[in-house]
Amino acid sequence: MWKAMLKCHQKQFQAIMESKMRKLRAKTDPLTDTSSRATTELERELRAWCERFNEWISSQKSYVESLNGWLLQCLQYEPEETPDGPVPYSPGRLGAPPIFIICNDWKQAMEAVSEARVANAMNTFATSLRQLWEKQDEEGRQRLKAEYLSKDYEKQLRAHLAERGKIKLEQDAMSDNTRLSVVPSDNGVSPLDDLKVDLDSMKQKLAEERIKHKDAMKLVHDAASSSLQGGLVPIFKALENFTSEALKAHEHVRLQHPQQSS
């Protein structure tokens, strides 16, 4: 099993290294939140993968530990005490049947490998995906702010142009002697001038919000690229190393023993 898994993870790692991950970019859809949903789903699947992997290894260790403990009871084994401490349990030294030796070797093999590095790599990637989602969420809010301000600006601009057109028509309809002038407000500024000032201020604000949105999109793209490059490679490398260590550890399980002479 471990040999087949090692070949599989080696191929996966090689495929990741040969892929064009550096050209991957996050796709930001201006009409939907599919990108952020995909990121959330990937994070959820990754954490579930990590949990199942840990449970799989833990169940193997628990199984062989229970089996070895049950067999140990059949021997009525009493640990031998020495000045240096108790002598390690060795069913072969006790002349126990092969199944006792196999299970004890198997238990030691499982204890020799640790899944911590694989779990750490998966959790690190999941954390980076969470950070990516936060940047996507911020980009979405910034996009909505820019869109709202753009619509408001266009509405005010149309109102300003309509008012100017109305006044021009009224002025054109009058003779030169009775031409209507724009009535100024109490502070000496006409309503059109007030609206023009508001439009200029809104236009400046819109330009600032668009710059913020552009910066937010760049952060999303950079975070997505770094997450994929910095997340997948360590995971599959850790899986390759883990299965390699497990294979080497299980090679010490003595499945065949010389038959005792009668």
Side-chain angles (χ1 to χ4, degrees):
M1 178 187 74
W2 294 110
K3 185 179 294 185
M5 288 183 60
L6 177 58
K7 290 182 179 180
C8 177
H9 290 315
Q10 286 175 336
K11 290 181 179 180
Q12 290 173 331
F13 178 70
Q14 187 65 25
I16 290 294
M17 294 302 295
E18 293 176 355
S19 66
K20 299 179 180 179
M21 286 193 305
R22 294 182 179 180
K23 296 183 179 180
L24 292 176
R25 290 293 183 270
K27 181 179 179 181
T28 304
D29 192 333
L31 300 178
T32 66
D33 59 348
T34 53
S35 297
S36 59
R37 286 204 306 269
T39 301
T40 303
E41 182 66 21
L42 179 57
E43 180 197 358
R44 182 164 53 249
E45 289 295 329
L46 186 60
R47 293 193 185 278
W49 181 20
C50 182
E51 182 178 357
R52 288 192 293 267
F53 176 79
N54 287 332
E55 290 177 350
W56 177 56
I57 299 300
S58 178
S59 63
Q60 289 192 58
K61 291 183 176 182
S62 297
Y63 173 76
V64 69
E65 183 178 2
S66 298
L67 182 59
N68 192 61
W70 176 74
L71 289 173
L72 182 60
Q73 294 179 2
C74 298
L75 290 177
Q76 297 181 348
Y77 169 71
E78 293 292 338
E80 180 182 350
E81 294 291 339
T82 67
D84 296 330
V87 177
Y89 167 62
S90 175
R93 185 171 56 85
L94 298 175
I99 185 61
F100 290 80
I101 299 174
I102 292 173
C103 286
N104 188 58
D105 288 352
W106 185 12
K107 175 177 177 291
Q108 292 179 0
M110 291 303 300
E111 290 176 345
V113 296
S114 173
E115 67 277 16
R117 282 179 292 181
V118 176
N120 289 338
M122 291 179 176
N123 286 323
T124 298
F125 187 23
T127 299
S128 69
L129 289 174
R130 169 58 55 171
Q131 295 171 348
L132 171 60
W133 175 84
E134 292 173 353
K135 289 181 173 61
Q136 288 175 321
D137 187 57
E138 175 61 25
E139 182 275 330
R141 289 196 299 267
Q142 196 62 49
R143 169 169 47 85
L144 291 177
K145 287 175 62 177
E147 289 176 352
Y148 175 80
L149 192 58
S150 177
K151 292 179 180 179
D152 194 26
Y153 172 76
E154 292 175 357
K155 179 180 178 181
Q156 296 295 332
L157 180 60
R158 287 194 299 268
H160 175 71
L161 294 176
E163 186 65 22
R164 289 189 60 179
K166 178 182 177 182
I167 292 176
K168 187 175 185 305
L169 289 175
E170 292 176 351
Q171 290 177 339
D172 291 342
M174 297 179 181
S175 63
D176 293 338
N177 295 332
T178 60
R179 178 160 296 184
L180 179 66
S181 60
V182 178
V183 179
S185 59
D186 295 339
N187 58 6
V189 180
S190 70
L192 283 179
D193 290 337
D194 282 337
L195 184 56
K196 180 65 167 57
V197 172
D198 292 341
L199 283 173
D200 290 342
S201 176
M202 190 178 296
K203 184 177 182 180
Q204 178 64 29
K205 181 64 176 177
L206 176 59
E208 294 173 356
E209 293 299 331
R210 284 175 172 171
I211 291 175
K212 291 180 181 179
H213 179 230
K214 184 178 180 180
D215 292 340
M217 288 183 63
K218 185 177 185 303
L219 288 176
V220 169
H221 294 158
D222 293 344
S225 179
S226 62
S227 294
L228 291 171
Q229 294 180 44
L232 291 176
V233 172
I235 288 177
F236 286 103
K237 185 60 179 177
L239 284 169
E240 180 185 349
N241 291 338
F242 172 79
T243 50
S244 177
E245 293 172 1
L247 177 60
K248 292 178 181 178
H250 282 78
E251 287 175 348
H252 293 88
V253 177
R254 292 166 287 181
L255 298 178
Q256 296 181 356
H257 303 275
Q259 295 182 352
Q260 296 180 353
S261 59
S262 57

